Amino acid sequence: MNGHAERKGLEQFGALGVLLALVALWWIASNAGWVSRVFLPTPQATFASLLEGLNLSGEGGGELLAFTGATVGRMVQGWLLASLAGVLLGAAIGVSPVVRAWVQPTLEFVRPLPASALLPLAISIFGLNPGMVLFVVAFGAMWPVLLATVHGFAAVEPRLAEVARCLQMSRAAYVWKMGLPNAMPDILAGMRLALTIALIVAVVGEMIASQSGLGQAILLAARAFRASELFAGIVLLGLIGFASNALLALAERRLLRWQHP
């Protein structure tokens, strides 16, 4: 047990060391003039733009805070819709071997399609509005949840189905009491991946559809050669992705405590 704790501590220390090394390399490259500051601002300038954009410097600003709220809201809404649709459709497909055999080839055909490639089609159907971006985010993030749910239900111990038949359980009762708990590890893993996809698609959708959010802020900063604001937006996206993944990983550990008594 002590060895495991020590190994985990070393891994965390190593991860922090890699991050600090990258920041140090960034600082050296920008301050030494290896790359023009027009394209690579210093970490100090980026941090100052980040504080100003989040209205934490006390010198006004705050536009980045509003953009962050729009992007996070769009990401979370799309992820929730994707999770709900993915679990419902995945359970309906995964619980029946016959339906799996019929639908699996179609799923494998549609799954690799990038959600961003559907943006022109979504724009033609829904127009340039927030609902269009939300639809594309939900569509793109749904597939990891759906496929993970199908896999989780397909991997349920066959004897559990025999027990359910002996107990004369309805299909809904079997899904809720046996299928869903056994598929939960796969579903949560799919939801973690879907959250990352939701953030990526939300940013791309904001860039292409000119919707308010971090994607639009980064694109406008790039066009105006405001490198520090551009990097501040990128750093903020990384922080959002890291924090959301950490929160979901914590929730996953709590929900799956029964697996590790």
Side-chain angles (χ1 to χ4, degrees):
M1 188 69 180
N2 291 333
H4 176 73
E6 291 178 1
R7 185 168 61 254
K8 187 174 182 180
L10 288 174
E11 290 174 353
Q12 293 176 346
F13 181 77
L16 181 60
V18 171
L19 177 61
L20 293 176
L22 290 175
V23 174
L25 180 61
W26 175 15
W27 185 89
I28 294 172
S30 57
N31 283 279
W34 295 353
V35 182
S36 172
R37 293 187 182 181
V38 175
F39 305 105
L40 182 66
T42 63
Q44 309 94 288
T46 300
F47 187 65
S49 295
L50 185 61
L51 291 180
E52 182 181 354
L54 295 177
N55 199 20
L56 298 177
S57 62
E59 299 178 359
E63 296 87 356
L64 204 58
L65 185 62
F67 287 140
T68 301
T71 298
V72 171
R74 196 169 284 121
M75 174 190 73
V76 172
Q77 291 176 37
W79 175 72
L80 290 175
L81 289 173
S83 299
L84 179 61
V87 171
L88 291 178
L89 291 175
I93 296 170
V95 76
S96 172
V98 176
V99 175
R100 283 203 308 273
W102 287 355
V103 178
Q104 194 72 31
T106 303
L107 293 180
E108 293 300 327
F109 173 77
V110 178
R111 178 182 60 84
L113 293 177
S116 56
L118 297 177
L119 276 169
L121 177 62
I123 291 173
S124 65
I125 296 175
F126 299 101
L128 288 172
N129 56 66
M132 180 276 298
V133 180
L134 183 61
F135 167 79
V136 177
V137 172
F139 178 84
M142 178 186 69
W143 295 101
V145 183
L146 190 154
L147 295 173
T149 304
V150 171
H151 179 270
F153 273 85
V156 173
E157 174 61 45
R159 284 175 292 185
L160 290 177
E162 297 176 4
V163 171
R165 285 193 295 269
C166 293
L167 296 175
Q168 297 183 344
M169 295 175 63
S170 64
R171 180 61 62 90
Y174 168 75
V175 169
W176 180 254
K177 296 181 179 180
M178 293 186 176
L180 196 59
N182 282 272
M184 189 58 67
D186 292 288
I187 292 173
L188 291 174
M191 290 175 67
R192 286 182 65 182
L193 179 58
L195 190 60
T196 302
I197 294 176
L199 177 60
I200 295 172
V201 177
V203 172
V204 174
E206 290 164 356
M207 289 180 175
I208 295 178
S210 299
Q211 296 298 311
S212 177
L214 284 175
Q216 186 185 56
I218 291 173
L219 186 62
L220 292 177
R223 288 175 176 174
F225 292 96
R226 299 194 299 267
S228 62
E229 296 179 17
L230 169 66
F231 272 69
I234 294 173
V235 169
L236 193 53
L237 283 176
L239 292 174
I240 292 171
F242 177 81
S244 58
N245 184 73
L247 289 174
L248 197 56
L250 178 62
E252 182 179 350
R253 285 196 297 269
R254 290 183 176 275
L255 289 172
L256 298 180
R257 283 181 298 180
W258 54 271
Q259 284 192 325
H260 307 283

